[in-house]
Amino acid sequence: MKIGYYPGSFDPITFGHLDIIERGAKLFDKLYISISVNPNKKTMFTPEERVQLVRDVIYYLPNVEVVTSSILTVEHCKMLGASHILRGLRAVTDYDYEFQITNFNRRLSSEIDTVFLMTEGQNSYLSSSSVRELAYFNGDVTPFVPLVVAEAIKQKIKNSTLR
Ligand code: ADP
């Protein structure tokens, strides 16, 4: 059984992530989406909220499971029996960073390899951070994220301005 591991912040999940997940789900028998938990990183959504949103979005993909991680990616892969890390590539600007972490992970564990899927053209400019930015300025995020995520963002912004 081929098991893939797709790590990221998913703060929040966008149509760009979803494209990679749907295609990854066809490549692997099982695909874990791993949501990073880093208490030092300021995020819009808590790990629990990010997990719930991803679960709500991928409900129709039976071989995809959402987990959280606060340990080294390669260690988590080994724990879950994953042989491959899955990453998405947008523009060339992603390349440098991905090249670095791929080789670093390879150095840490040579048996775990990384595969890349190139994004759909229309998602190549799409990132969680631009969605967050757009939302803070009251822009319409619905072209970029699933409806359930757009609703959660709306609530989040509303609650934060109430404080
Ligand atoms: P990280 O903090 O690890 O970069 P992200 O949630 O931003 O976490 O991204 C997780 C993975 O999803 C990365 O491989 C990233 O390149 C990929 N990704 C993010 N947005 C897109 C997109 N629009 N199209 C394709 N891949 C994407």
Side-chain angles (χ1 to χ4, degrees), residues 33-89:
I33 301 175
S34 176
I35 297 183
S36 55
V37 178
N38 181 351
N40 297 322
K41 202 171 159 185
K42 207 172 170 305
T43 54
M44 182 180 219
F45 291 97
T46 65
E48 295 75 21
E49 288 168 334
R50 284 180 275 150
V51 166
Q52 194 53 51
L53 284 175
V54 177
R55 282 199 182 127
D56 287 347
V57 169
I58 55 105
Y59 68 93
Y60 59 96
L61 297 168
N63 62 334
V64 179
E65 191 176 324
V66 188
V67 294
T68 55
S69 181
S70 49
I71 60 170
L72 269 179
T73 299
V74 290
E75 292 306 323
H76 206 196
C77 282
K78 282 184 206 164
M79 272 171 62
L80 296 169
S83 56
H84 290 82
I85 297 166
L86 173 66
R87 297 285 288 178
L89 274 184

Side-chain angles (χ1 to χ4, degrees), residues 6-10 16-17 20 41 87-90 94 98 119 123 126:
Y6 181 33
S9 313
F10 302 95
H17 293 122
I20 302 298
K41 202 171 159 185
R87 297 285 288 178
L89 274 184
R90 285 163 293 190
D94 277 343
E98 295 295 340
T119 188
N123 293 328
L126 177 53

Side-chain angles (χ1 to χ4, degrees), residues 8 17 19 27-28 36 43 63 65 69 76 81 83-84 92 101 117-118 129 147 149 154 161-162:
H17 293 122
D19 168 47
L27 285 178
F28 296 103
S36 55
T43 54
N63 62 334
E65 191 176 324
S69 181
H76 206 196
S83 56
H84 290 82
V92 270
I101 51 169
L117 287 177
M118 216 167 270
S129 58
L147 219 51
V149 178
K154 215 178 196 162
T161 50
L162 282 178

Side-chain angles (χ1 to χ4, degrees), residues 20 22 54 86 96 110 120 146:
I20 302 298
E22 285 180 344
V54 177
L86 173 66
D96 247 4
S110 57
E120 280 261 329

Side-chain angles (χ1 to χ4, degrees), residues 91-152:
V92 270
T93 39
D94 277 343
Y95 183 86
D96 247 4
Y97 174 68
E98 295 295 340
F99 182 80
Q100 227 178 65
I101 51 169
T102 296
N103 282 303
F104 191 61
N105 283 333
R106 209 72 151 273
R107 183 72 197 274
L108 294 176
S109 178
S110 57
E111 71 262 39
I112 295 174
D113 214 343
T114 304
V115 292
F116 295 94
L117 287 177
M118 216 167 270
T119 188
E120 280 261 329
Q122 58 174 0
N123 293 328
S124 59
Y125 54 86
L126 177 53
S127 65
S128 298
S129 58
S130 44
V131 167
R132 291 196 303 270
E133 182 110 349
L134 181 61
Y136 279 123
F137 290 107
N138 288 319
D140 177 20
V141 297
T142 52
F144 310 114
V145 295
L147 219 51
V148 63
V149 178
E151 279 304 319

